């Protein structure tokens, strides 16, 4: 067994450190963006329906 293969396996076994607070903040930011997108889409649909109703009558 060569030392290169031993070195590669030791690198794989190291666990990266993860900051959970950063991940939670990213999730919160993504949820806020999704909420804004849904609100904009819903508002656009409502305004479009209102305009179509006014134009058709």
């Amino acid at each position: 067994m060569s030392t290169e293969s031993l070195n590669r396996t030791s690198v794989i076994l190291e666990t990266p450190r993860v900051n959970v607070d950063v991940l939670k903040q990213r999730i919160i930011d993504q949820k806020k963006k999704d909420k804004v997108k849904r609100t904009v889409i819903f508002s656009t649909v409502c305004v479009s329906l209102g305009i179509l109703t006014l134009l058709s009558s």
Side-chain angles (χ1 to χ4, degrees), residues 3-41:
T3 57
E4 288 180 13
S5 64
L6 288 175
N7 288 338
R8 275 188 262 145
T9 57
S10 65
V11 170
I12 292 172
L13 294 177
E14 291 179 11
T15 58
R17 300 192 181 254
V18 177
N19 190 346
V20 176
D21 292 331
V22 172
L23 294 177
K24 285 181 181 179
Q25 189 62 41
R26 285 183 185 173
I27 291 173
I28 290 170
D29 291 343
Q30 186 64 38
K31 285 183 179 182
K32 285 181 184 178
K33 287 179 184 178
D34 289 345
K35 186 176 180 182
V36 169
K37 285 180 186 177
R38 282 190 308 238
T39 304
V40 168
I41 290 171

